[in-house]
Amino acid sequence: WVWHHPDHSKKAGHKLLRTYKALQGWTKLAPATTRPPMPLVFLTLIIDALCRNGSADTGLAVLLMFFAYLRPGEATRLCESDIVKPAFTGQPFAINLHPSAK
């Protein structure tokens, strides 16, 4: 009955009731999942191939993107001033991806 009279359903304001219901069912069947990261062995093979072909700077960028979870655009826009030195010895460096003033 709801399919033929969508104006009387709980989602009366929803124009595409069947599509809405289908999407609800799809998310129940295939919930969103994250992919596992690329194994480190494959990463080193890719970086090795880049370095052997004379693209050591690209290999370094791929390594940085992998470990810092950077997008390619973020990696290409990095400057030396975006690297934040640690306050105390033994702490890791940080990357300021979105500085307020460049």
Side-chain angles (χ1 to χ4, degrees):
W1 190 82
V2 174
W3 297 110
H4 297 291
H5 305 284
D7 296 336
H8 299 290
S9 72
K10 292 179 184 177
K11 305 285 184 196
H14 210 282
K15 301 290 184 198
L16 302 171
L17 182 65
R18 289 183 184 173
T19 306
Y20 178 76
K21 292 285 187 183
L23 287 174
Q24 274 186 330
W26 178 257
T27 55
K28 288 179 184 175
L29 288 176
T33 57
T34 59
R35 296 183 196 172
M38 178 188 308
L40 195 56
V41 174
F42 294 141
L43 177 72
T44 54
L45 288 173
I46 291 170
I47 293 170
D48 182 52
L50 287 168
C51 291
R52 288 179 191 266
N53 291 327
S55 299
D57 54 343
T58 306
L60 183 61
V62 169
L63 184 68
L64 179 66
M65 285 187 287
F66 183 80
F67 284 108
Y69 298 107
L70 297 178
R71 297 180 180 112
E74 292 172 335
T76 56
R77 284 190 300 268
L78 280 179
C79 300
E80 187 178 346
S81 61
D82 296 334
I83 307 299
V84 180
K85 294 181 182 177
F88 301 103
T89 308
Q91 290 183 334
F93 282 77
I95 300 173
N96 188 3
L97 294 177
H98 303 287
S100 58
K102 273 219 173 201

